[in-house]
Amino acid sequence: MQNTIYWDHNHECMPREELEQLQLERLQATLNRAYKNVTCYRTKFNALGTVPEDVNSLADLSKLPFTTKDDLRLNYPYGMFAVPLREVVRIHSSSGTTGKPTVVGYTKNDLKTWSNLVARFMTAAGVTHDDVVQIAFGYGMFTGAFGLHYGSETIGAAVIPMSGGNTDKQIMIMQDYKSTVLVCTPSYAITIAERIEKLGFDPKSLSLKVGLFGGEPWSESIRRDIEARLAISATDNYGLSEIIGPGVAGECQLKCGMHIAEDCFIPEIIDPETCQVLPVGSTGELVLTSLTKEAFPMIRYRTRDITSLDYSTCECGRTTVRMKKTMGRSDDMLIIKGVNVFPSQIEEVLMAIDGCQPHYQLVVDRKGTLDVLEVCIEVTENIFFDEMKKQRAFLDKVGKRIDSVLGVGVSVKLVEPNSITRHEGKAERVIDRRKP
Ligand code: DLL
């Protein structure tokens, strides 16, 4: 692609051989530091009879033990830190809903690395120092807002730290301050788009041109919906607090997978059941190893996110591997009548049906020994207020479409327009009534 602007051309476009050499050197340094300074890693290595010196090639990585969320919980709050607290300058935590959150720390260098990684994917998505970036992620322990904030400043863009919620004010600021970039979760982007429609003005009258959306799974259909409703280019970016926050991967303007910052993280795809590394191109659980982090090195961290990797060259000139949009987390996978179903698959089906709105909820319950799924969808007013016969035909159509695509029968329920909660952060798509 001509005229591509890179933030860090050297690392983004490195020939693979050179990149792998850099990865190996950084991996060895990370393993040594982790082994020396973090009891959890030392214990795991010792149990396997391995020492960092056994890793002489990138292939040797697959011999090392995994790290899981449970390890982080067991070492709460600071047990996984590889530096003394006096060297830590920032603490964040992950957005878990159960139990204790996981705590992550950053040294001054880590913050610099993080800001540059965010600047990298923002630049790839088309953001420059001329932009006005409105951050509508909640500021707090969540890494989203601070990550994008410092990344924007590093680029030299003007940051509006709006934080999440207060949709009318978001829109007013967008109009008055002439924001050109919107940063939030995709579900909040839909909430904003809907509100703009209610207010009755043309989104083209705004200065917005790019959306940087992440923090939760979203389908290609949702992307098309947001792009049409906000008149912007909507890009995806991925990350998780345990690894650094946003900045692990992000789309370039070609939007054909998220470029992983491979000079800082090594990705692997494993079978979540057998834990075996899968062949290139397979879909499975993403495992990440950090290569440059000082305070909180992560070795073979099981993300639980399901995706696949594409090593083919991207037309943008970047040589880094691209990860596909995630299907969701393996913990979010539902098993309905023996069929594995991800909420994102249902989203794809619904969004392809005329009249379905991007607001839905999946209610899972148990009847006897079977899990049953009810799909509650919001539809446009004309369908909701249509005569019973037509409504029934519509429900029938949705049920049949889900059955034919996913191979599982579900019950479908129409709910009133605006009755499903709108989201300011990450959406909650699944209501699980099976749990006590
Ligand atoms: O959500 C970090 C982040 C913030 C990434 C803002 C991008 C933008 P956590 O709260 O620790 O960190 O949640 C991490 O969110 O394991 C995925 O399951 C999910 N996730 C994050 N980005 C995406 C994405 C942040 N683009 C968890 N697509 C991850 C799908 C995503 N899922």
Side-chain angles (χ1 to χ4, degrees):
M1 206 169 79
Q2 276 182 343
N3 304 325
T4 305
I5 301 174
Y6 306 99
W7 179 253
D8 180 353
H9 181 273
N10 180 25
H11 290 113
E12 291 176 79
C13 303
M14 228 178 212
R16 185 138 291 273
E17 215 175 293
E18 225 175 283
L19 175 64
E20 288 183 355
Q21 184 54 37
L22 177 70
Q23 285 183 320
L24 181 59
E25 284 162 18
R26 289 182 167 178
L27 175 64
Q28 285 167 331
T30 297
L31 295 177
N32 277 318
R33 262 189 306 107
Y35 186 81
K36 197 166 129 221
N37 300 320
V38 184
T39 312
C40 171
Y41 288 125
R42 202 165 44 247
T43 313
K44 277 177 185 251
F45 277 47
N46 290 346
L48 277 186
T50 318
V51 285
E53 288 71 28
D54 290 340
V55 173
N56 296 306
S57 71
L58 289 180
D60 288 341
L61 180 62
S62 65
K63 296 182 197 156
L64 300 180
F66 292 106
T67 308
T68 63
K69 191 125 185 155
D70 273 348
D71 293 317
L72 309 194
R73 289 214 177 98
L74 286 170
N75 289 287
Y76 177 84
Y78 299 139
M80 299 298 284
F81 284 21
V83 296
L85 215 45
R86 85 182 92 87
E87 285 177 37
V88 171
V89 295
R90 179 87 67 75
I91 288 165
H92 278 283
S93 71
S94 83
S95 53
T97 44
T98 49
K100 296 258 195 209
T102 48
V103 180
V104 299
Y106 302 77
T107 63
K108 262 190 187 155
N109 271 337
D110 289 335
L111 285 188
K112 220 160 129 192
T113 309
W114 188 20
S115 304
N116 274 298
L117 288 177
V118 175
R120 194 190 286 192
F121 83 72
M122 292 183 78
T123 306
V127 180
T128 71
H129 54 77
D130 291 326
D131 279 304
V132 180
V133 183
Q134 181 161 336
I135 300 191
F137 278 136
Y139 278 72
M141 296 301 264
F142 177 53
T143 51
F146 281 96
L148 270 292
H149 183 111
Y150 285 99
S152 305
E153 284 190 357
T154 302
I155 288 181
V159 185
I160 306 175
M162 246 316 275
S163 203
N166 211 340
T167 310
D168 281 350
K169 194 163 174 206
Q170 298 275 2
I171 294 170
M172 184 191 85
I173 298 267
M174 224 175 259
Q175 288 178 305
D176 295 351
Y177 297 10
K178 305 203 177 343
S179 314
T180 56
V181 178
L182 175 63
V183 172
C184 57
T185 56
S187 37
Y188 193 45
I190 292 174
T191 305
I192 293 176
E194 260 185 359
R195 186 69 193 144
I196 289 177
E197 278 156 27
K198 284 239 165 61
L199 294 171
F201 71 88
D202 183 359
K204 290 201 187 87
S205 66
L206 296 168
S207 307
L208 277 189
K209 58 170 199 181
V210 175
L212 301 173
F213 305 126
E216 63 181 1
W218 51 308
S219 59
E220 284 299 333
S221 331
I222 294 279
R223 187 208 301 270
R224 284 192 292 276
D225 190 63
I226 296 175
E227 292 194 325
R229 291 168 93 169
L230 285 178
I232 54 168
S233 164
T235 61
D236 195 1
N237 68 85
Y238 168 89
L240 58 166
S241 347
E242 295 88 330
I243 295 300
I244 204 159
V248 174
E251 285 179 330
C252 64
Q253 291 180 61
L254 297 172
K255 301 177 200 166
C256 53
M258 294 180 274
H259 289 272
I260 298 183
E262 277 185 282
D263 51 312
C264 295
F265 312 103
I266 300 183
E268 296 170 275
I269 298 288
I270 63 161
D271 177 327
E273 300 294 324
T274 65
C275 293
Q276 290 304 308
V277 176
L278 294 175
V280 172
S282 315
T283 299
E285 180 181 335
L286 177 69
V287 169
L288 290 166
T289 298
S290 73
L291 297 175
T292 50
K293 272 171 61 184
E294 295 180 339
F296 201 76
M298 276 288 110
I299 298 168
R300 302 196 87 200
Y301 184 68
R302 292 190 57 176
T303 66
R304 299 272 165 203
D305 293 316
I306 305 295
T307 184
S308 61
L309 300 178
D310 180 355
Y311 284 87
S312 68
T313 318
C314 181
E315 278 178 39
C316 73
R318 291 176 181 83
T319 51
T320 41
V321 67
R322 283 164 288 150
M323 64 179 266
K324 211 170 156 184
K325 267 182 169 302
T326 75
M327 285 178 83
R329 300 174 59 78
S330 54
D331 351 9
D332 289 340
M333 189 181 77
L334 307 167
I335 304 177
I336 309 296
K337 298 176 192 157
V339 180
N340 298 350
V341 179
F342 279 97
S344 60
Q345 293 174 296
I346 295 188
E347 179 177 298
E348 277 287 354
V349 177
L350 295 180
M351 290 299 293
I353 299 172
D354 227 17
C356 281
Q357 297 284 315
H359 304 293
Y360 65 94
Q361 233 160 20
L362 310 179
V363 184
V364 198
D365 212 339
R366 184 155 290 159
K367 290 225 169 95
T369 53
L370 278 187
D371 285 343
V372 287
L373 175 63
E374 182 177 62
V375 178
C376 301
I377 44 175
E378 260 187 38
V379 286
T380 46
E381 296 210 349
N382 58 334
I383 294 181
F384 192 77
F385 295 111
D386 222 334
E387 45 188 274
M388 285 301 263
K389 211 169 97 194
K390 284 194 185 153
Q391 259 195 24
R392 223 169 273 134
F394 182 82
L395 283 175
D396 198 41
K397 178 163 109 184
V398 177
K400 281 199 176 124
R401 192 79 64 84
I402 294 178
D403 197 355
S404 77
V405 178
L406 303 177
V408 63
V410 299
S411 62
V412 185
K413 188 172 140 192
L414 297 191
V415 298
E416 257 185 81
N418 290 315
S419 62
I420 290 179
T421 315
R422 299 303 190 247
H423 300 279
E424 295 175 353
K426 302 191 187 207
E428 268 175 61
R429 304 282 191 206
V430 181
I431 298 173
D432 196 339
R433 300 218 166 110
R434 293 168 303 182
K435 292 181 186 147

Coordinates of all heavy atoms in Angstrom, one line a residue, residues 93-95 137 142-144 148 213-218 236-242 245-247 258 303 305 326 328-329 426, ligand 1:
S93 N -5.9 -3.1 37.2 CA -6.4 -4.4 37.4 C -7.3 -4.8 36.3 O -7.8 -4.0 35.5 CB -7.0 -4.5 38.8 OG -8.3 -3.9 38.7
S94 N -7.6 -6.1 36.2 CA -8.4 -6.6 35.1 C -9.9 -6.5 35.5 O -10.2 -6.5 36.7 CB -8.0 -8.0 34.7 OG -8.7 -8.9 35.6
S95 N -10.7 -6.5 34.4 CA -12.1 -6.3 34.7 C -12.8 -7.7 34.9 O -13.7 -8.0 34.2 CB -12.7 -5.7 33.4 OG -12.4 -6.4 32.3
F137 N -13.8 5.6 27.1 CA -13.7 4.4 28.0 C -13.6 5.0 29.4 O -13.1 6.1 29.6 CB -12.3 3.8 27.9 CG -12.1 2.8 26.7 CD1 -11.0 2.9 25.9 CD2 -13.0 1.8 26.5 CE1 -10.8 2.0 24.9 CE2 -12.9 0.9 25.4 CZ -11.8 1.0 24.6
F142 N -9.4 0.0 34.9 CA -9.4 -0.5 33.5 C -8.3 0.1 32.7 O -8.1 1.3 32.7 CB -10.8 -0.2 32.9 CG -11.0 -0.6 31.5 CD1 -10.8 -1.9 31.1 CD2 -11.5 0.3 30.5 CE1 -11.0 -2.3 29.8 CE2 -11.7 -0.1 29.2 CZ -11.4 -1.4 28.9
T143 N -7.6 -0.7 31.9 CA -6.5 -0.2 31.2 C -6.8 0.5 29.9 O -6.0 1.2 29.3 CB -5.6 -1.4 30.7 OG1 -6.4 -2.4 30.1 CG2 -4.8 -2.0 31.9
G144 N -8.1 0.4 29.5 CA -8.5 1.0 28.2 C -8.3 2.5 28.1 O -7.6 3.0 27.2
L148 N -5.1 4.3 25.9 CA -5.3 5.1 24.7 C -5.0 6.6 24.9 O -4.5 7.3 24.0 CB -6.8 5.0 24.3 CG -7.2 3.8 23.3 CD1 -6.7 4.1 21.9 CD2 -6.8 2.5 23.8
F213 N -12.1 0.8 18.3 CA -13.0 0.1 19.2 C -12.3 -1.2 19.7 O -11.7 -1.9 18.9 CB -14.3 -0.2 18.5 CG -15.0 1.1 18.0 CD1 -15.4 1.2 16.7 CD2 -15.2 2.2 18.9 CE1 -16.0 2.4 16.2 CE2 -15.7 3.4 18.4 CZ -16.1 3.4 17.1
G214 N -12.5 -1.5 20.9 CA -11.9 -2.8 21.5 C -12.4 -3.0 22.9 O -13.3 -2.3 23.4
G215 N -11.8 -4.0 23.5 CA -12.2 -4.4 24.8 C -13.3 -5.5 24.9 O -13.5 -6.1 25.9
E216 N -13.9 -5.9 23.7 CA -14.9 -6.9 23.7 C -15.0 -7.4 22.3 O -14.7 -6.7 21.3 CB -16.2 -6.4 24.2 CG -16.8 -5.3 23.3 CD -18.1 -4.7 23.8 OE1 -18.6 -5.2 24.9 OE2 -18.7 -3.8 23.1
P217 N -15.5 -8.6 22.1 CA -15.7 -9.1 20.7 C -16.8 -8.4 20.0 O -17.8 -8.0 20.6 CB -16.1 -10.6 21.0 CG -16.0 -10.9 22.4 CD -16.0 -9.6 23.1
W218 N -16.6 -8.2 18.7 CA -17.7 -7.6 17.9 C -17.5 -8.2 16.5 O -16.4 -8.4 16.0 CB -17.7 -6.1 17.9 CG -16.4 -5.4 17.7 CD1 -15.2 -5.7 18.3 CD2 -16.1 -4.3 16.7 NE1 -14.2 -4.8 17.8 CE2 -14.7 -4.0 16.9 CE3 -16.9 -3.6 15.8 CZ2 -14.1 -3.0 16.1 CZ3 -16.3 -2.6 15.1 CH2 -14.9 -2.3 15.2
D236 N -10.6 -2.3 14.8 CA -10.6 -3.1 16.0 C -9.2 -3.1 16.6 O -8.2 -3.1 15.9 CB -10.9 -4.6 15.5 CG -11.3 -5.5 16.7 OD1 -11.3 -5.0 17.8 OD2 -11.6 -6.7 16.4
N237 N -9.1 -3.1 17.9 CA -7.8 -3.3 18.6 C -8.0 -4.2 19.8 O -9.1 -4.2 20.5 CB -7.2 -2.0 18.9 CG -7.9 -1.2 20.0 OD1 -7.7 -1.4 21.2 ND2 -8.8 -0.3 19.6
Y238 N -7.0 -5.0 20.1 CA -7.1 -6.0 21.1 C -6.0 -5.9 22.2 O -4.9 -5.5 21.9 CB -7.0 -7.4 20.4 CG -6.9 -8.6 21.3 CD1 -8.0 -9.3 21.8 CD2 -5.6 -9.0 21.7 CE1 -7.8 -10.4 22.7 CE2 -5.4 -10.1 22.5 CZ -6.5 -10.8 23.0 OH -6.3 -11.9 23.8
G239 N -6.4 -6.3 23.4 CA -5.4 -6.4 24.4 C -6.0 -6.9 25.7 O -7.2 -7.1 25.8
L240 N -5.2 -7.2 26.7 CA -5.7 -7.6 28.0 C -4.7 -7.1 29.1 O -3.5 -7.0 28.8 CB -5.9 -9.1 28.1 CG -4.8 -10.1 27.8 CD1 -5.3 -11.4 28.3 CD2 -4.5 -10.2 26.3
S241 N -5.3 -6.7 30.2 CA -4.5 -6.1 31.3 C -3.3 -7.0 31.6 O -2.2 -6.4 31.8 CB -5.3 -5.9 32.5 OG -6.6 -6.0 32.3
E242 N -3.5 -8.3 31.7 CA -2.4 -9.2 32.1 C -1.2 -9.0 31.2 O -0.1 -9.2 31.6 CB -2.8 -10.6 32.2 CG -3.9 -11.0 33.2 CD -5.3 -10.7 32.6 OE1 -5.5 -9.8 31.7 OE2 -6.2 -11.4 33.0
G245 N -2.5 -4.4 28.4 CA -3.7 -3.6 28.2 C -3.9 -3.5 26.7 O -3.3 -4.3 25.9
P246 N -4.6 -2.4 26.2 CA -4.7 -2.2 24.7 C -3.2 -2.0 24.2 O -2.4 -1.5 24.9 CB -5.5 -1.0 24.6 CG -5.4 -0.3 25.9 CD -5.3 -1.3 26.9
G247 N -3.0 -2.4 22.9 CA -1.7 -2.3 22.4 C -1.0 -3.6 22.0 O 0.0 -3.6 21.4
M258 N -5.8 -8.2 13.1 CA -5.1 -7.3 13.9 C -3.6 -7.6 14.0 O -3.3 -8.8 14.4 CB -5.7 -7.3 15.3 CG -7.1 -6.7 15.3 SD -7.9 -6.7 16.9 CE -8.6 -8.4 17.0
T303 N -4.9 -16.8 27.4 CA -5.8 -15.6 27.4 C -7.3 -16.1 27.4 O -8.2 -15.3 27.7 CB -5.7 -14.8 26.1 OG1 -6.1 -15.6 24.9 CG2 -4.2 -14.3 25.9
D305 N -9.0 -16.4 24.9 CA -9.6 -15.8 23.7 C -9.4 -16.8 22.5 O -8.3 -17.3 22.3 CB -9.0 -14.4 23.4 CG -9.4 -13.4 24.5 OD1 -10.6 -13.5 24.9 OD2 -8.6 -12.7 24.9
T326 N -11.6 -12.0 17.5 CA -11.8 -13.2 18.3 C -13.3 -13.7 18.3 O -14.2 -12.8 18.1 CB -11.4 -13.0 19.8 OG1 -12.5 -12.2 20.4 CG2 -10.1 -12.3 19.9
G328 N -14.6 -14.9 20.8 CA -15.0 -14.7 22.2 C -14.1 -15.5 23.1 O -13.1 -16.0 22.6
R329 N -14.4 -15.6 24.3 CA -13.6 -16.3 25.2 C -14.1 -17.7 25.4 O -15.3 -18.0 25.3 CB -13.6 -15.6 26.6 CG -13.1 -14.2 26.6 CD -13.3 -13.6 27.9 NE -12.6 -14.3 29.0 CZ -11.3 -14.1 29.2 NH1 -10.6 -13.3 28.4 NH2 -10.7 -14.8 30.1
K426 N -18.1 -2.6 28.5 CA -18.3 -3.9 27.9 C -19.7 -4.4 28.0 O -20.3 -4.3 29.1 CB -17.3 -4.9 28.5 CG -15.8 -4.5 28.4 CD -14.9 -5.6 28.8 CE -13.5 -5.1 28.9 NZ -12.5 -6.1 28.6
Ligands
DLL1 O1 -10.1 -5.0 27.7 C1 -7.9 -4.1 27.3 C2 -8.4 -3.3 26.2 C3 -9.0 -2.1 26.4 C4 -8.2 -3.7 24.9 C5 -9.4 -1.3 25.4 C6 -8.7 -2.9 23.8 C7 -9.3 -1.7 24.1 P1 -9.3 -6.5 30.1 O2 -10.3 -5.6 30.8 O3 -8.2 -7.2 30.9 O4 -8.5 -5.6 29.1 O5 -10.0 -7.5 29.2 C8 -9.4 -8.3 28.3 O6 -11.2 -8.4 26.8 O7 -9.1 -11.2 27.1 C9 -10.7 -10.3 25.6 O8 -11.6 -11.3 26.0 C10 -11.5 -9.0 25.6 N1 -11.1 -8.1 24.5 C11 -10.3 -7.1 24.5 N2 -10.2 -6.5 23.3 C12 -10.9 -7.3 22.4 C13 -11.2 -7.2 21.0 C14 -9.0 -4.9 28.0 N3 -10.7 -6.2 20.3 C15 -10.3 -9.2 27.6 N4 -12.0 -8.2 20.5 C16 -9.6 -10.0 26.5 C17 -12.4 -9.2 21.3 C18 -11.5 -8.3 23.2 N5 -12.2 -9.2 22.6

